[in-house]
Amino acid sequence: MKKSLFTVFILLLIFGCKNNTETNSEVTVQTETETEIKYPSDVIPFMDKWKILLGDGTRSEDLVGFQKEDFFYVENDGKTDWVVYKTPNSGITSRTSSNTRTELGEKAHWIPETGGKLTGTLKVQHVSTTGDANISSSYSVVVGQIHSHEGHENEPLKIFYKKFPGHTKGSVFWNYEINTEGDNSGRWDYSTAVWGYDFSVVGENATTSPAEPEDGIALGEEFSYEVNVYKGIMYLTFTSEGHETIKFTKNLLKSDFSTKKAIPQQIIDGYSSRRTVGVEREIAYAGEINYFKQGAYNQANIKTGSKTYDGDIVKQYANGSYAEVWFKEATVGASTDPNK
């Protein structure tokens, strides 16, 4: 009898130890898995200041500890963690656009007189490989914006990256959209090159690209921008290793385009044959509520001749019909005196 009791005790002890070992192993595995997860907010800690719209229509206003596979997540290139913004040529869009985006929208709003500041260090990994070379927005993605939140809801700034198929180097340029006087039927964007071409340079037909830009930026090549709106003046700075640092200023309180005579030749050549060319109100964006945006705002869609595979996102990703932008650093906040 004693021997039987002793045997039962030993078996219970072994069984109990085994269960504890399995439980502890499970806890250890779970803990290790949890520590391996890295969210975009771990890489760029300003995510509490933003909300997001993804290319599949997902929206979130709480980005701390938020990610979504295939759209908004973290990648490591072997040296550095990057926040990835990825979006197809066709998906669910915002109410004011036919272009898809995986893009942050600033929660705080401001007027140009008060201003704000946005910075980013990024590399564009992919743009759509299909499109009409004669259409300006083909093969391009917007990586930073200022967007109006009232009136016509136009955009005083869009920072673009664009690369034609077959080219090694692409272009970085920025567009200013006029705050149109009267209705918005006459609106247009004036484009300024940073490295490479501006928005107006297109192919001679749908299948023929222009010559490759000599001073362009390749896919995977890092560059940085700073947008500093200080007392109504927009100060832009663009930097990239191996390239000249480029700076611009633009008054957001007083228009450069308030008369027909002031309309640039770029606009007359690019717009007048297909739409009304309007003028801007004299006070431009003065007193109008604005906010920053950052990420991947894909400019390729079915209207630009880009393939969309009936909106099938898996097929679009598999066949090059998407935009993908990686950021490793970014800030947003109050403007700073550019003279200090």
Side-chain angles (χ1 to χ4, degrees):
M1 181 69 177
K2 288 182 180 180
K3 186 176 181 180
S4 300
L5 288 173
F6 179 77
T7 302
V8 171
F9 173 78
I10 291 298
L11 289 172
L12 288 173
L13 182 61
I14 292 170
F15 184 77
C17 290
K18 185 172 183 288
N19 279 350
N20 285 337
T21 301
E22 289 175 349
T23 303
N24 290 337
S25 297
E26 289 173 3
V27 170
T28 302
V29 170
Q30 288 174 350
T31 303
E32 287 175 355
T33 302
E34 287 169 1
T35 58
E36 287 173 3
I37 296 174
K38 188 163 285 189
Y39 296 98
S41 57
D42 297 324
V43 177
I44 304 179
F46 71 167
M47 293 298 174
D48 60 320
K49 295 176 170 37
W50 302 90
K51 55 186 177 179
I52 198 168
L53 171 62
L54 308 182
D56 66 346
T58 298
R59 297 175 183 268
S60 179
E61 296 199 9
D62 185 4
L63 302 186
V64 177
F66 173 84
Q67 66 172 4
K68 186 160 188 185
E69 186 178 356
D70 292 330
F71 294 94
F72 181 62
Y73 53 96
V74 174
E75 282 281 6
N76 187 286
D77 64 1
K79 299 182 297 183
T80 306
D81 288 325
W82 298 77
V83 177
V84 179
Y85 301 82
K86 186 175 180 180
T87 190
N89 289 355
S90 177
I92 298 175
T93 68
S94 68
R95 65 177 178 80
T96 60
S97 177
S98 58
N99 299 318
T100 61
R101 70 188 81 210
T102 294
E103 186 181 40
L104 303 174
E106 188 185 14
K107 291 179 180 178
H109 290 181
W110 40 269
I111 59 174
E113 293 87 338
T114 304
K117 187 174 182 178
L118 176 69
T119 70
T121 298
L122 67 142
K123 54 185 178 181
V124 177
Q125 298 290 75
H126 189 89
V127 292
S128 177
T129 54
T130 60
D132 185 330
N134 194 238
I135 297 177
S136 295
S137 54
S138 294
Y139 321 117
S140 70
V141 59
V142 171
V143 299
Q145 293 191 67
I146 298 174
H147 203 293
S148 172
H149 192 61
E150 58 181 331
H152 298 313
E153 297 187 35
N154 288 344
E155 297 144 328
L157 176 68
K158 292 193 290 285
I159 300 171
F160 283 78
Y161 177 86
K162 175 176 179 175
K163 189 188 77 67
F164 287 92
H167 288 185
T168 299
K169 296 178 181 179
S171 299
V172 175
F173 54 88
W174 63 278
N175 284 11
Y176 174 83
E177 184 175 32
I178 63 169
N179 203 6
T180 321
E181 186 173 54
D183 67 42
N184 207 29
S185 60
R187 69 157 194 84
W188 42 264
D189 283 29
Y190 181 69
S191 186
T192 303
V194 180
W195 303 294
Y197 298 134
D198 63 41
F199 191 64
S200 68
V201 177
V202 295
E204 60 183 55
N205 55 50
T207 58
T208 305
S209 299
E212 183 168 337
E214 293 182 2
D215 61 338
I217 298 283
L219 289 174
E221 185 175 357
E222 286 184 37
F223 65 94
S224 299
Y225 63 74
E226 177 183 285
V227 182
N228 184 26
V229 180
Y230 182 76
K231 294 185 177 179
I233 308 298
M234 180 171 66
Y235 298 87
L236 302 176
T237 303
F238 295 88
T239 58
S240 180
E241 186 176 349
H243 298 269
E244 181 184 357
T245 295
I246 309 291
K247 296 186 178 185
F248 305 92
T249 60
K250 179 75 179 74
N251 195 328
L252 300 183
L253 308 181
K254 181 176 173 55
S255 176
D256 297 318
F257 311 115
S258 60
T259 65
K260 288 285 186 181
K261 187 177 180 180
I263 297 173
Q265 191 64 40
Q266 178 194 106
I267 304 307
I268 294 170
D269 293 343
Y271 285 84
S272 60
S273 63
R274 55 191 174 88
R275 71 157 63 169
T276 301
V277 175
V279 296
E280 185 171 38
R281 65 177 194 167
E282 289 188 1
I283 61 171
Y285 287 88
E288 191 159 300
I289 295 171
N290 288 269
Y291 60 99
F292 289 120
K293 306 192 85 175
Q294 186 175 82
Y297 179 26
N298 194 352
Q299 300 299 290
N301 57 43
I302 198 166
K303 295 178 183 177
T304 65
S306 303
K307 292 182 179 179
T308 61
Y309 300 92
D310 295 321
D312 187 318
I313 293 175
V314 173
K315 286 184 178 179
Q316 290 180 80
Y317 283 177
N319 291 281
S321 294
Y322 66 94
E324 183 175 334
V325 183
W326 292 18
F327 280 82
K328 71 174 183 180
E329 295 173 354
T331 64
V332 68
S335 62
T336 57
D337 187 339
N339 299 310
K340 291 185 178 179

